[in-house]
């Protein structure tokens, strides 16, 4: 039996960027993304948040780093120390892209890999890295980048 082929999108049409693996529309965001993290992000500049949770999944520390003139967020040693001094077992990274592009840049991927390796040596699990835009957020975990 020959399977019928169906084209769902016209040939040459770019895929809907919101349909990319790992993207969560704003109306489908869970409580942590919607109520805890999203309100911190300014619409005009990049900011990074580090959230630390204890063994009972309670938020025990929230650190932030503002973007520099280049727009990049750099996690300071002070932020790492404050987060790690809180007896956390898991961490979550989140930042915003004021440009509206939810897909992670190469720098975003590299930073996530480096943070995950660093935290793993301290027996802390990086559970996800979220990139917020006005229409929703991108999840590294959901996209299977972690």
């Amino acid at each position: 039996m020959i399977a019928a082929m169906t084209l769902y999108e016209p040939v040459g049409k770019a895929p809907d960027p919101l349909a990319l693996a790992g993207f969560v529309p704003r109306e489908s965001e869970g409580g942590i993304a919607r109520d805890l993290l999203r309100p911190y992000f300014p619409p005009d500049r990049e900011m990074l948040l580090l959230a630390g949770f204890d063994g009972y999944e309670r938020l025990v520390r929230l650190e932030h780093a503002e973007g520099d003139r280049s727009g990049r967020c750099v996690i300071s040693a002070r932020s790492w120390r404050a987060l790690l001094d809180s007896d956390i077992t898991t961490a979550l990274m989140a930042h915003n892209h004021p440009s509206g592009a939810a897909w992670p840049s190469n720098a975003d991927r590299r930073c996530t890999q480096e943070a995950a390796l660093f935290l793993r040596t301290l027996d802390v699990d990086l559970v996800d890295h979220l990139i917020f835009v006005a229409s929703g957020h991108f999840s590294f975990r959901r996209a299977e980048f972690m």
Side-chain angles (χ1 to χ4, degrees):
M1 175 182 259
I2 299 174
M5 255 172 93
T6 306
L7 291 176
Y8 293 103
E9 297 289 339
V11 175
K13 181 179 179 188
D16 179 1
L18 302 183
L20 297 173
F23 187 81
V24 178
R26 190 171 185 161
E27 58 273 4
S28 299
E29 289 178 342
I32 289 177
R34 180 187 62 244
D35 301 328
L36 175 67
L37 301 173
R38 182 173 287 285
Y40 279 96
F41 296 116
D44 59 341
R45 67 184 186 286
E46 195 166 316
M47 179 183 284
L48 179 123
L49 296 173
L50 295 170
F53 300 87
D54 67 11
Y56 298 101
E57 297 182 0
R58 297 177 298 197
L59 177 68
V60 294
R61 188 72 184 197
L62 189 62
E63 287 292 313
H64 77 279
E66 302 233 2
D68 61 15
R69 289 182 189 215
S70 70
R72 292 181 329 124
C73 286
V74 177
I75 305 168
S76 70
R78 184 203 59 77
S79 291
W80 281 121
R81 276 193 296 276
L83 187 73
L84 296 169
D85 282 346
S86 303
D87 292 328
I88 63 167
T89 58
T90 59
L92 172 73
M93 292 176 66
H95 77 282
N96 63 325
H97 281 177
S99 67
W103 194 253
S105 67
N106 289 337
D108 293 334
R109 287 181 181 206
R110 192 170 40 258
C111 178
T112 304
Q113 291 171 342
E114 290 171 359
L117 288 171
F118 169 67
L119 291 169
R120 190 173 304 138
T121 63
L122 302 170
D123 204 26
V124 174
D125 185 30
L126 180 62
V127 295
D128 207 344
H129 182 173
L130 307 176
I131 300 173
F132 284 83
V133 295
S135 58
H137 71 268
F138 176 87
S139 163
F140 276 69
R141 172 101 27 220
R142 190 175 277 228
E144 298 180 2
F145 287 179
M146 298 183 77

